[in-house]
Each structure stands twice: as C-alpha cells, then as structure tokens.
Amino acid sequence: QVSLVESGGGSVQAGGSLRLSCEASGSTLNNLCMGWFRQALPGKGHEEGIATIDSRGGTTYKESVRGRFTISKDNTKNTMYLQMNNLKPEDSAMYYCAADTSCHPYMVYRGKGTLVTISS
C-alpha cells in the first residue's frame, strides 16, 4: 500500500509561482510512476492529468502546462515535486498526487489533494 501526502498549495496572483510536494510512503519512488492530476471543481468535474515522471525519471506534460510546470523527484526523500511558474487563473484547481507501477491515466494510489487558487 502506497500512501501519498501533498503539500504546498495556496493562493497567489497570476504570474506567480508555487511548488507542490508529494511525500510517498510504503514504496520507494524507484519502483513507481508518479503523476500530478488536477480537478477544477474539487470532487466534481473533469480530472486532467498534467504531468508524470516514471521510475527512470522520464517526464511527460500536458500541453497547457508545458514550459511553465516542472515535475521532479528526490528519491532520497521519497518525494515528488511540481514547480509551477507563470501561474494563470485557469490553473486554479485541487491538485492530486498519484502513483502506480506504470504510468497511465487511472493511477491507483492517490493523495487527498492540495488546493491552488490563482487570482487575476
């Protein structure tokens, strides 16, 4: 069983930056694909995957965040990060950390989320 805990959300103005963290326990990141998803209306609406990082460090990004967001991980801390720069109001959402043995849209392990609010 993998447990994930997100942190780092908050409220910033458009153009600002935030760094989200996801601390994993129950497995090492070396064995997992990790990802960030977001949902504009927490508990409702469409959930979109925005970035993944696989066990070897390979990354993928949703086109709308490419060049602004950077996903990374520190295996020694068993923690994954999402550096978000040049934030836009449409980035406002609940951000969830996810993990599974492979990268796919329906990763089994999920955190409870951290809220990001961007004001214009």
Side-chain angles (χ1 to χ4, degrees):
Q1 186 72 17
V2 178
S3 176
L4 304 171
V5 179
E6 304 95 336
S7 61
S11 299
V12 298
Q13 290 189 324
S17 298
L18 285 171
R19 188 176 82 153
L20 307 183
S21 299
C22 171
E23 185 172 358
S25 59
S27 180
T28 64
L29 300 191
N30 288 335
N31 301 326
L32 298 172
C33 177
M34 306 286 293
W36 289 98
F37 293 75
R38 67 186 181 187
Q39 193 171 36
L41 297 175
K44 304 178 182 179
H46 175 65
E47 182 184 84
E48 59 177 357
I50 55 174
T52 63
I53 184 165
D54 65 27
S55 59
R56 294 171 295 178
T59 58
T60 67
Y61 294 94
K62 183 178 176 64
E63 191 58 37
S64 62
V65 306
R66 188 185 303 276
R68 300 188 297 123
F69 291 10
T70 303
I71 189 170
S72 63
K73 62 178 180 174
D74 185 338
N75 290 338
T76 65
K77 297 181 179 179
N78 234 32
T79 300
M80 175 182 67
Y81 305 97
L82 186 68
Q83 177 66 43
M84 306 187 294
N85 298 328
N86 191 21
L87 283 160
K88 304 176 180 181
E90 53 264 40
D91 293 319
S92 296
M94 184 69 82
Y95 283 70
Y96 298 92
C97 167
D100 210 327
T101 54
S102 63
C103 294
H104 60 87
Y106 307 103
M107 293 186 188
V108 172
Y109 302 108
R110 298 291 182 107
K112 294 184 177 181
T114 185
L115 185 63
V116 171
T117 304
I118 312 302
S119 59
S120 57

